[in-house]
Every structure is written in structure tokens, then in C-alpha cells.
Amino acid sequence: MSETSEISLTPSAAARVAAIAERQGKKPILRLAVDGGGCAGFQYRFGLADEVEADDVATVRDGVTLIVDPMTLDLVRGGAVDFVESLGGAAFQVSNPNAASGCGCGTSFSI
């Protein structure tokens, strides 16, 4: 694992991950991955991780670790993971400066 400042976790996202992890009795480790698919070409996938893998790149905020694999980091470098609550619901969102376009739901993007 290596530490990076090339992707960040907002305080809101860190607090939400900590609350979810505590409720589920897991470690506060959030994995962000990018998969092919979605309405714009790529889609974000979030999930709690049990451990940090050797090739993961990590950033830590308020005791919460955000991890990405090297391929995902190439697609989201310079971005931030946030947790946003609105009238439409609550969700993790990625502010990704590498995305050329995205979809209305905010879960997929294209480069």
C-alpha cells in the first residue's frame, strides 16, 4: 500500500463511511473501483473492504481509509469522494476532473 494525495475523501464521506462500518462491525475502509459499463462507459463502484491490498493506493481522513487500485487511480486522479444528501436521496459521489462527461445519476462517466 502507498499513501497518496492524488485522490481525497471529504469529511462528509469519511463520517458516513465510519458510521456504516461501525453499524456493520467492519473496519472503516472504503474501496472505490471503476468498472466498464454504465450509461456513459465507466461506472463507479463503492464497498467496504476488509483489508488494504499490497498494490492499493490509499488516503486517510479522520480515521477512515479510502483505497483504490492503480488502474482506478489513473481514471480518478485529482478527484474527491464526497457523500451528498439531497431531496433525491443520499449517495457517495466522485468529483472527477478526468471525466469528459457523466450521466445524470452521477454514477457513470466517460473519459
Side-chain angles (χ1 to χ4, degrees):
M1 174 190 82
S2 63
E3 290 269 336
T4 186
S5 60
E6 295 184 277
I7 184 155
S8 62
L9 189 64
T10 67
S12 174
R16 185 63 175 177
V17 171
I20 292 169
E22 183 177 333
R23 206 168 38 244
Q24 294 185 9
K26 295 191 170 198
K27 296 177 183 176
I29 303 171
L30 179 66
R31 176 173 296 282
L32 167 61
V34 172
D35 293 330
C39 50
F42 293 101
Q43 60 188 357
Y44 301 112
R45 184 171 39 90
F46 295 97
L48 289 179
D50 294 323
E51 297 295 331
V52 178
E53 302 295 328
D55 66 339
D56 283 336
V57 179
T59 188
V60 178
R61 176 182 291 272
D62 303 332
V64 174
T65 304
L66 170 66
I67 55 175
V68 296
D69 60 76
M71 185 196 82
T72 296
L73 182 60
D74 284 345
L75 296 170
V76 299
R77 183 172 275 113
V81 175
D82 195 8
F83 183 75
V84 178
E85 294 183 74
S86 67
L87 291 175
F92 287 102
Q93 292 183 348
V94 179
S95 167
N96 185 353
N98 303 302
S101 65
C103 67
C105 63
T107 60
S108 68
F109 67 101
S110 65
I111 297 289

